[in-house]
Amino acid sequence: MSADARRAIERVAHSIHRRGLTHGRTGNLAVRDGDRVLLTPTGVSLADVDADRLSVVALDGSHLDGPKPTKEAFLHVALLRVRPEANAVVHTHSVHAAAVSCLSDVDPENPIPPLTAYYGMRVGKLRMLPYFAPGDPAATGAVEDAARVTHALLLRNHGPVVAGADLDAALDAVEELEHTAQLFLLTRGLATSPLTSAQLHALATPSGRTSS
């Protein structure tokens, strides 16, 4: 497996933990490398991820090499199977996004409104899945269905799982989702002005994109 992919997983895992986007031994990452997938192992804090101690699975989820993969490996491989343009997946238990996933009165088709341009560009559509116990492979079908619509999912009573062209893109989207979830919770009960469909469409065009 690619040494660059291994180093990227170690770097991003440590960054996620350092930024407080997950806690304890929660959260996991995946990178597609040809017809195989590199994953963070089960029971390892993202602060302690080691490039030389990663799991390797096939796109059907079967364990090929390395330590036992995270029990949520099926989330990652399901997203990567459905979205061939994606090469990485980030799953965290970030506080504000997880808080939104616990609310009973949000629309599963649009659980967080597009309050900022960067949310529109980096997250776009967000879908919230029904509740499944962590590690329950029965969620595979729901993940695949939602992934046909969007690269950004919110697992009910759990947290976000987001695919991207690479790990940095997936991490950017997770951070933007967490930031907008915080804004959403801060403004609950107040009148807000989310971006319109036309404004979101403009952001999706090359002339509407910005890098900073």
Side-chain angles (χ1 to χ4, degrees):
M1 302 295 286
S2 165
D4 287 345
R6 289 178 173 275
R7 285 194 295 269
I9 287 179
E10 180 181 294
R11 173 178 58 81
V12 172
H14 294 178
S15 177
I16 285 172
H17 192 275
R18 187 169 61 249
R19 299 182 199 196
L21 290 170
T22 195
H23 65 280
R25 292 184 290 176
T26 64
N28 31 76
L29 314 177
V31 169
R32 189 201 307 266
D33 193 5
D35 60 356
R36 296 184 173 194
V37 180
L38 275 168
L39 282 155
T40 48
T42 188
V44 176
S45 166
L46 292 190
D48 299 324
V49 166
D50 183 337
D52 295 323
R53 293 285 299 162
L54 298 176
S55 305
V56 183
V57 304
L59 281 170
D60 65 4
S62 57
H63 184 201
L64 301 176
D65 195 16
K68 185 178 179 180
T70 167
K71 65 178 177 289
E72 292 170 330
F74 70 92
L75 294 174
H76 300 271
V77 295
L79 270 163
L80 292 173
R81 281 196 304 265
V82 172
R83 303 192 70 87
E85 80 286 359
N87 292 300
V89 179
V90 172
H91 168 48
T92 70
H93 295 188
S94 51
V95 172
H96 298 94
V100 173
S101 81
C102 298
L103 298 176
S104 63
D105 60 346
V106 294
D107 179 1
E109 298 297 307
N110 187 34
I112 299 174
L115 295 174
T116 70
Y118 286 97
Y119 182 87
M121 289 186 289
R122 292 175 178 163
V123 179
K125 297 179 185 295
L126 177 68
R127 293 291 183 272
M128 184 156 69
L129 274 60
Y131 173 76
F132 293 91
D136 184 354
T140 300
V143 171
E144 291 178 338
D145 287 346
R148 292 186 179 96
V149 178
T150 177
H151 70 115
L153 311 178
L154 185 59
L155 310 178
R156 182 169 280 286
N157 301 94
H158 193 156
V161 54
V162 179
D166 55 30
L167 271 177
D168 288 320
L171 177 56
D172 283 347
V174 164
E175 282 198 290
E176 202 62 46
L177 196 162
E178 173 65 8
H179 176 69
T180 309
Q182 183 177 14
L183 292 176
F184 172 62
L185 293 170
L186 286 170
T187 56
R188 290 257 294 174
L190 303 174
T192 59
S193 55
L195 274 64
T196 66
S197 296
Q199 289 169 329
L200 289 170
H201 178 74
L203 290 171
T205 63
S207 61
R209 293 177 186 154
T210 180
S211 60
S212 61

